[in-house]
């Protein structure tokens, strides 16, 4: 059954195709694009291009059933720890072995969990990932609850008004502090990233918090936000993250695997806002922190290491 909807304030200024995909995330991109190209999707009763920017109050007609009818029951009725809650954004503490967004149908993921939690609160079930964390990276993840908040936060990331601080347990003993400037190139087919002069600019700053013997606790500040940046850069200086099968040391990982370390010990510890604009201006100065997962905290406790303030 076809469906009509009115563009909300949340979607004001967004591209038509992105609005549709956020409301019907299960529709293949090819189906969405064909609907727009053939005119089956209409904006204010007229054919429109996929990249047209919609305005609040406009009517979108689609040849598919309403999102509630299409969604059915939630496949995964699971929740997440919420670190910060606001009508505009949430910050959740992402566990290990969980994708931010699914890469195949019917796969557990952060955004669907947030939507399920909003459903339980009888709130609008809209959730957008502001940034990404790898499947096995834990910690603070920002989720926008409207298109307006998403755009403000993404702009803030580009303008470096949001600072992300990570904790990592690495092999070896790095310098007390340092800056790694090494361009990163991603192979789309293998999803591997490597240092390569043809790559994109990537800058990582780090500070040694504790160390001794075979491993160290390091605080990492990602000045840029490239895929796998912290993992590749720490390996590049000879201090790979413990448990990182893709970029780490196989022999070292093998020893730690016997001690039940089965993932990269990398944690999104803190997110700090400064100079936010528009509707999120009042959040400037806010800092959100997340406690590390049990495997990381257990190893830190064993070594007598404390969390930074």
């Amino acid at each position: 059954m076809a469906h009509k909807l009115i563009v909300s304030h949340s979607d004001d200024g967004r591209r038509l195709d992105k609005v549709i995909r956020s409301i019907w995330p299960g529709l293949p991109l090819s189906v969405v694009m064909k609907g727009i190209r053939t005119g089956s999707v209409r904006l204010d009763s007229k054919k429109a291009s996929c990249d047209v920017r919609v305005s609040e109050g406009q009517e979108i007609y689609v040849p598919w059933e309403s999102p509630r009818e299409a969604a059915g029951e939630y496949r995964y009725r699971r929740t997440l720890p919420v670190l910060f809650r606001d009508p505009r954004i949430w910050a959740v503490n992402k566990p290990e072995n969980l994708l931010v967004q699914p890469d195949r149908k019917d796969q557990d993921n952060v955004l669907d969990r947030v939507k399920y939690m909003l459903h339980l609160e009888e709130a609008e079930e809209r959730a957008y990932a502001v940034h990404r964390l790898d499947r096995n990276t834990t910690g603070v993840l920002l989720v926008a609850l409207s298109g307006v908040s998403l755009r403000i936060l993404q702009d803030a990331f580009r303008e470096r008004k949001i600072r992300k601080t990570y904790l990592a347990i690495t092999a070896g003993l790095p310098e007390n502090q340092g800056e790694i400037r090494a361009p990163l190139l991603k192979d789309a087919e293998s999803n591997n990233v490597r240092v390569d002069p043809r790559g994109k600019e990537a800058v990582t700053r780090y500070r040694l918090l504790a160390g001794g013997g075979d491993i160290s606790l390091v605080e990492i500040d990602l000045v840029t936000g490239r895929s796998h940046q912290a993992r590749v850069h720490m390996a590049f200086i000879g201090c790979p993250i413990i448990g990182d099968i893709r970029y780490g040391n196989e022999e070292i990982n093998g020893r730690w695997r016997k001690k039940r370390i089965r993932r990269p010990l990398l944690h999104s510890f803190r997110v700090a806002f400064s100079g936010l604009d528009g509707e999120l201006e009042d959040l400037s100065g806010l800092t959100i922190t997340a406690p590390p997962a049990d495997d990381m905290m257990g190893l830190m406790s064993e070594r007598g290491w404390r969390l930074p303030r």
Side-chain angles (χ1 to χ4, degrees):
M1 182 181 293
H3 180 68
K4 292 181 180 179
L5 63 102
I6 303 299
V7 176
S8 67
H9 175 67
S10 169
D11 289 322
D12 183 63
R14 300 184 71 206
R15 285 172 47 135
L16 175 61
D17 57 342
K18 291 187 179 295
V19 171
I20 292 174
R21 294 208 74 198
S22 66
I23 298 174
W24 285 271
L27 279 177
L29 177 60
S30 59
V31 173
V32 174
M33 301 307 286
K34 181 179 179 181
I36 295 173
R37 187 177 64 253
T38 61
S40 298
V41 172
R42 305 184 75 81
L43 181 64
D44 285 341
S45 300
K46 298 177 182 178
K47 186 176 179 180
S49 61
C50 64
D51 59 353
V52 70
R53 302 280 175 171
V54 302
S55 300
E56 181 179 1
Q58 286 189 294
E59 181 185 80
I60 299 175
Y61 171 92
V62 299
W64 311 297
E65 59 192 350
S66 75
R68 285 193 176 276
E69 291 170 347
E73 290 295 318
Y74 281 90
R75 181 177 178 86
Y76 298 100
R77 293 171 173 265
R78 298 171 183 168
T79 61
L80 291 165
V82 180
L83 304 164
F84 175 79
R85 186 186 299 263
D86 182 273
R88 301 159 295 180
I89 70 168
W90 279 12
V92 300
N93 190 359
K94 190 185 92 63
E96 63 173 290
N97 194 30
L98 184 68
L99 290 170
V100 174
Q101 292 180 307
D103 57 14
R104 65 176 188 271
K105 189 177 180 181
D106 296 330
Q107 187 178 38
D108 191 13
N109 64 91
V110 169
L111 292 186
D112 280 348
R113 289 195 188 196
V114 171
K115 290 176 183 177
Y116 174 61
M117 294 164 72
L118 291 168
H119 169 75
L120 294 177
E121 297 181 3
E122 299 184 347
E124 187 177 12
E125 298 161 31
R126 305 288 289 275
Y128 311 91
V130 179
H131 57 114
R132 299 288 188 271
L133 294 178
D134 293 339
R135 178 196 289 267
N136 281 313
T137 299
T138 58
V140 184
L141 180 78
L142 300 179
V143 179
L145 303 186
S146 75
V148 174
S149 297
L150 176 66
R151 292 193 294 277
I152 292 172
L153 292 172
Q154 288 180 332
D155 287 344
F157 267 114
R158 281 191 291 270
E159 296 165 8
R160 298 179 183 174
K161 294 179 179 179
I162 298 178
R163 180 182 177 186
K164 291 188 295 182
T165 302
Y166 290 77
L167 296 179
I169 296 180
T170 71
L173 185 68
E175 299 291 332
N176 286 340
Q177 59 183 16
E179 181 176 275
I180 306 167
R181 289 182 172 270
L184 297 179
L185 183 66
K186 183 175 183 178
D187 184 324
E189 188 171 327
S190 67
N191 201 36
N192 282 334
V193 178
R194 68 178 185 271
V195 172
D196 191 298
R198 297 170 297 171
K200 295 181 179 180
E201 178 194 22
V203 182
T204 300
R205 298 189 181 116
Y206 69 86
R207 180 167 66 99
L208 178 65
L209 298 176
D214 54 343
I215 60 173
S216 300
L217 177 65
V218 178
E219 182 181 85
I220 296 173
D221 181 9
L222 299 182
V223 180
T224 53
R226 309 301 179 197
S227 289
H228 302 179
Q229 179 176 319
R231 296 162 60 190
V232 177
H233 271 179
M234 295 310 296
F236 179 67
I237 64 169
C239 297
I241 294 174
I242 295 296
D244 190 346
I245 296 174
R246 182 170 297 198
Y247 304 112
N249 180 285
E250 184 176 347
E251 181 181 348
I252 293 173
N253 287 336
R255 293 200 301 267
W256 285 101
R257 199 174 299 116
K258 294 176 182 178
K259 300 181 181 181
R260 300 183 181 279
I261 301 300
R262 304 182 183 277
R263 69 172 183 96
L265 294 185
L266 179 65
H267 177 71
S268 174
F269 178 59
R270 181 186 297 124
V271 172
F273 302 114
S274 63
L276 294 184
D277 300 320
E279 295 185 8
L280 300 184
E281 184 179 0
D282 59 302
L283 298 182
S284 295
L286 175 68
T287 297
I288 303 169
T289 60
D294 291 344
D295 54 358
M296 195 167 182
M297 282 299 295
L299 185 51
M300 290 173 59
S301 177
E302 180 183 302
R303 297 289 173 120
W305 297 342
R306 296 183 179 181
L307 291 173
R309 294 184 177 181

